[in-house]
């Protein structure tokens, strides 16, 4: 599995205070901070360990801590909390330095007011209510990207919000050294999958390279029969292979698919790529479109985009990391065909072949069929229908002057088998309904490809857009076409002006 190692990373917790209240107060602040951080870590809710980095009482201490956070590769985000009043001018230089994602935690040590015992000493020590506002002011004044989480630190709901942000920090950190390789260019003439790769690297972190398909072809020659047999045995164990009889023409195609998979995986490993794209029209020396290989590599964590769609491939990798270990899974998908059925009008999601088996409802079936595009031999593929339930579809498009993230809440409903179209598929109704959901997506300029997840929610993508500093358009139960268009017009002005002011 190409997983981001949550255990090898940490979130720093920095408590703000000042020295006005004497040495005893500092000791209390430290003890409370330690107890809170321990409580957060022991909650079992957080995927990444929180590490208490001490209390900061001056501008020099804040700046030193933020610089250290930047330079510590293990640190993927910084949480701040003001135990006492912490005059916020002391945060200016440190926040100017900070390059890691920031979460401001508005909480306090005690859950309830100790009505009978509270005195002025208590009040001097426990000042989060106004200390956190002073801090919030400077963050806002500096236009610094920040997630604000409000809630008591022992409340599971609060912890879950921190967990969401931590997962986004992981996805963000993972993207900062992501290499994506394009086996071929974008499909000719297609607009939406194209874009500015330089801007993408500056803005979103990942690096996009070209790779000649001849590399896969060369690696194929090194694949041994023993490696192929081992992999075909894995297929037999993991999938329903009843349609593939040993020694049949279909079996031979599965063997060739296994050879492609081994070669492709080796290429990805040797280049260190975390995401890749293919193109059905760029398969010289390859027997068949790598369907099965792409499906399996996606389930291992590789970001994938078809027809050279590198933006969706990178997003799919980030989506995988953010949802790592969560139960229902994610996949690259394409809006395939529409089903008009009144209130249940829905969009069939599929692709020629490349849908991740992570979203399968039942054991996928391994099949081989002719593909009427690309002029290659019949490819092996996993055939299944998806689980049901809520999820989010996401895409990033290049608007010329900025990247736009579009996120649509969708409900996957029971799909029907497609005996004459043996591909993997999902069937979803976009929120708030088919008409408004699909309409808004089109108005927003969204792709026909998307990165889909059952486990993520709109909140994950809000946190991601905040960290990346990119535009986000949400389509959910509250969307109307009118308000959506207004958002787009307002954003147009906002991004134009904010760029001019930089
Ligand atoms: Mn496509």
């Amino acid at each position: 599995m190409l997983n981001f190692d949550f255990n090898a990373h940490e979130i720093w917790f920095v408590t703000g205070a000042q020295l006005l209240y004497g040495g005893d107060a500092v000791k209390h602040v430290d003890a409370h901070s330690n107890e809170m951080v321990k409580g957060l870590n022991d909650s079992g809710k957080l995927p990444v360990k929180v590490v208490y980095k001490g209390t900061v009482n001056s501008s020099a201490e804040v700046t030193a801590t933020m610089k250290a956070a930047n330079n510590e590769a293990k640190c993927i985000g910084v949480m701040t909390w003001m135990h006492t009043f912490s005059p916020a001018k002391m945060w200016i230089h440190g926040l100017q330095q900070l390059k890691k994602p920031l979460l401001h935690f508005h909480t306090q040590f005690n859950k309830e007011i100790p009505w009978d015992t509270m005195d002025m000493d208590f009040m001097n020590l426990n000042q989060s209510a106004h200390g956190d506002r002073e801090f919030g002011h400077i963050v806002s004044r500096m236009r610094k990207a920040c997630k604000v989480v409000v809630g008591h630190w022992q409340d599971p709901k609060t912890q879950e919000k921190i967990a969401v942000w931590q997962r986004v920090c992981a996805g963000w950190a993972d993207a900062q050294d992501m290499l994506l390789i394009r086996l071929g260019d974008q499909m000719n003439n297609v607009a939406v999958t194209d874009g500015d790769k330089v801007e993408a690297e500056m803005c979103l972190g990942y690096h996009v390279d070209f790779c000649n398909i001849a590399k896969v072809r060369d690696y194929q020659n090194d694949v041994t029969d023993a490696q192929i047999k081992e992999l075909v045995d894995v297929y037999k164990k993991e999938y329903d292979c009843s349609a593939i009889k040993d020694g049949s023409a279909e079996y031979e195609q599965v063997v060739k698919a296994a050879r492609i998979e081994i070669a492709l995986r080796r290429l990805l490993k040797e280049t260190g790529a975390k995401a890749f794209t293919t193109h059905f029209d760029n398969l010289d020396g390859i027997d068949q479109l790598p369907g099965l290989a792409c499906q399996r590599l996606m389930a291992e964590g590789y970001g994938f985009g078809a027809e050279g769609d590198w933006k969706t491939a990178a997003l799919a990798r980030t989506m995988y990391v953010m949802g790592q270990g969560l139960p229902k899974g994610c996949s690259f998908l394409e809006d395939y065909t529409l089903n008009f059925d009144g209130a249940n009008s829905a969009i069939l999601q599929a692709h020629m072949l490349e849908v991740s088996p992570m979203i399968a409802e039942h054991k996928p079936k391994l099949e081989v069929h002719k593909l009427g595009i690309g002029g290659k031999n019949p490819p092996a593929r996993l055939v299944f229908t998806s689980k049901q339930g809520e999820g989010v579809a996401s895409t990033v498009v290049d608007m010329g002057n900025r990247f736009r993230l579009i996120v649509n809440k969708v409900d996957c409903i029971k799909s029907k088998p497609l005996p004459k179209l043996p591909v993997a598929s999902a069937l979803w109704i976009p929120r708030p309904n088919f008409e408004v959901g699909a309409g808004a997506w089109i108005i927003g300029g969204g792709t026909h490809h998307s990165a889909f997840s059952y486990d993520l929610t709109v909140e994950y993508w809000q946190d991601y857009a905040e960290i990346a500093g990119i535009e986000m358009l949400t389509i959910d139960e509250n969307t109307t076409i009118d308000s959506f268009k207004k958002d787009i017009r307002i954003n147009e002005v906002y991004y134009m002006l904010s760029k001019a002011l930089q």
Side-chain angles (χ1 to χ4, degrees):
M1 301 296 280
L2 184 71
N3 280 359
F4 181 86
D5 190 353
F6 286 133
N7 295 326
H9 291 86
E10 47 195 45
I11 297 289
W12 285 14
F13 190 100
V14 182
T15 304
Q18 62 174 334
L19 295 172
L20 186 68
Y21 315 108
D24 268 2
V26 174
K27 277 185 212 153
H28 284 305
V29 169
D30 231 31
H32 288 170
S33 300
N34 270 312
E35 193 175 332
M36 284 168 58
V37 167
K38 187 172 183 309
L40 289 174
N41 286 327
D42 291 349
S43 71
K45 297 265 185 222
L46 304 189
V48 183
K49 190 171 78 172
V50 180
V51 177
Y52 176 48
K53 299 306 283 189
T55 301
V56 286
N57 292 298
S58 68
S59 178
E61 287 174 18
V62 171
T63 306
T65 305
M66 297 308 179
K67 279 183 173 172
N70 288 343
N71 290 330
E72 176 51 69
K74 279 189 292 188
C75 171
I76 58 170
V78 173
M79 288 173 72
T80 52
W81 169 61
M82 304 303 120
H83 193 309
T84 70
F85 196 73
S86 176
K89 286 181 188 171
M90 79 180 211
W91 288 87
I92 292 173
H93 297 293
L95 289 175
Q96 278 173 335
Q97 294 282 337
L98 183 65
K99 303 281 184 225
K100 300 281 168 87
L102 175 65
L103 182 148
H104 181 41
F105 191 19
H106 184 44
T107 189
Q108 72 185 11
F109 180 68
N110 53 300
K111 188 168 172 230
E112 285 157 10
I113 293 174
W115 300 99
D116 298 333
T117 59
M118 187 163 65
D119 57 12
M120 202 41 87
D121 286 345
F122 180 95
M123 275 316 305
N124 281 335
L125 182 64
N126 297 281
Q127 302 194 359
S128 308
H130 58 284
D132 277 333
R133 289 175 191 230
E134 167 73 359
F135 179 84
H137 168 74
I138 204 66
V139 172
S140 186
R141 167 77 192 262
M142 292 173 69
R143 278 75 170 170
K144 184 94 186 153
C146 179
K147 174 167 182 153
V148 177
V149 171
V150 180
H152 192 252
W153 55 279
Q154 288 171 315
D155 181 349
K157 277 192 196 146
T158 308
Q159 294 160 352
E160 275 157 24
K161 280 189 166 291
I162 297 169
V164 167
W165 175 78
Q166 285 195 343
R167 286 177 167 277
V168 179
C169 289
W172 182 253
D174 181 76
Q176 301 316 298
D177 69 351
M178 186 197 303
L179 169 68
L180 185 152
I181 56 172
R182 299 158 64 229
L183 295 161
D185 204 342
Q186 278 95 252
M187 189 174 165
N188 284 345
N189 278 315
V190 176
V192 77
T193 56
D194 218 328
D196 185 338
K197 300 186 201 76
V198 178
E199 191 64 24
E201 185 154 356
M202 285 163 59
C203 180
L204 303 168
Y206 56 81
H207 177 79
V208 184
D209 267 348
F210 171 81
C211 181
N212 198 313
I213 191 75
K215 281 252 184 195
V216 181
R217 194 182 59 208
D218 293 347
Y219 283 165
Q220 279 190 136
N221 298 333
D222 299 337
V223 177
T224 66
D225 290 346
Q227 286 171 316
I228 291 176
K229 188 186 176 307
E230 195 184 337
L231 186 55
V232 172
D233 285 347
V234 170
Y235 298 164
K236 285 180 178 168
K237 218 171 82 190
E238 291 187 9
Y239 313 122
D240 172 357
C241 293
S242 55
I244 310 293
K245 303 281 174 254
D246 281 6
S248 65
E250 286 81 10
Y251 183 84
E252 285 313 307
Q253 288 309 104
V254 169
V255 165
K256 288 173 185 164
R259 185 183 294 279
I260 296 169
E261 179 182 329
I262 294 164
L264 193 50
R265 185 179 289 103
R266 185 179 154 201
L267 172 67
L268 292 165
K269 277 196 174 151
E270 289 190 3
T271 53
K274 297 179 192 174
F276 69 107
T277 66
T278 59
H279 186 342
F280 61 83
D281 217 11
N282 178 59
L283 297 171
D284 290 346
I286 307 293
D287 175 78
Q288 54 188 274
L289 179 70
L292 178 61
C294 293
Q295 291 183 294
R296 288 173 46 79
L297 288 164
M298 259 190 271
E300 276 174 41
Y302 288 97
F304 172 77
E307 292 95 47
D309 187 352
W310 51 271
K311 292 195 299 304
T312 305
L315 202 66
R317 165 62 187 173
T318 299
M319 169 181 72
Y320 175 88
V321 171
M322 296 195 305
Q324 217 176 270
L326 297 177
K328 288 187 82 177
C330 57
S331 181
F332 167 84
L333 283 168
E334 177 175 273
D335 298 296
Y336 225 52
T337 192
L338 310 176
N339 189 45
F340 289 98
D341 181 20
N344 287 323
S345 289
I347 311 169
L348 185 79
Q349 301 291 319
H351 204 260
M352 271 183 282
L353 306 173
E354 309 92 331
V355 178
S356 172
M358 283 180 93
I359 68 166
E361 185 176 22
H362 302 297
K363 196 176 196 177
K365 212 165 170 224
L366 183 60
E367 297 185 25
V368 172
H369 301 277
K370 196 169 168 290
L371 187 68
I373 192 165
K376 290 283 163 180
N377 291 324
R381 82 286 302 271
L382 298 173
V383 180
F384 55 86
T385 51
S386 80
K387 297 163 207 170
Q388 286 101 71
E390 201 179 307
V392 288
S394 55
T395 185
V396 165
V397 292
D398 187 341
M399 296 304 292
N401 63 345
R402 64 186 185 275
F403 288 112
R404 169 181 285 167
L405 172 69
I406 306 170
V407 176
N408 191 184
K409 243 173 152 174
V410 300
D411 294 286
C412 289
I413 59 173
K414 186 84 185 159
S415 186
K416 291 180 189 170
L418 299 157
K420 300 285 187 188
L421 186 73
V423 295
S425 65
L427 181 66
W428 74 43
I429 305 175
R431 295 212 190 164
N433 55 55
F434 169 75
E435 191 185 342
V436 175
W441 187 277
I442 288 170
I443 289 165
T447 29
H448 53 286
H449 288 161
S450 67
F452 165 77
S453 167
Y454 288 106
D455 301 307
L456 304 189
T457 58
V458 169
E459 188 182 2
Y460 284 82
W461 289 117
Q462 284 168 337
D463 289 357
Y464 173 84
E466 176 80 14
I467 292 168
I470 60 170
E471 179 186 13
M472 173 170 172
L473 295 174
T474 303
I475 308 167
D476 62 10
E477 50 282 357
N478 301 316
T479 300
T480 65
I481 292 295
D482 193 39
S483 68
F484 193 75
K485 281 186 167 176
K486 269 182 198 146
D487 284 347
I488 288 176
R489 287 192 206 106
I490 292 165
N491 288 357
E492 206 66 72
V493 176
Y494 168 81
Y495 284 96
M496 206 159 53
L497 283 178
S498 61
K499 205 149 205 175
L501 291 171
Q502 269 172 13

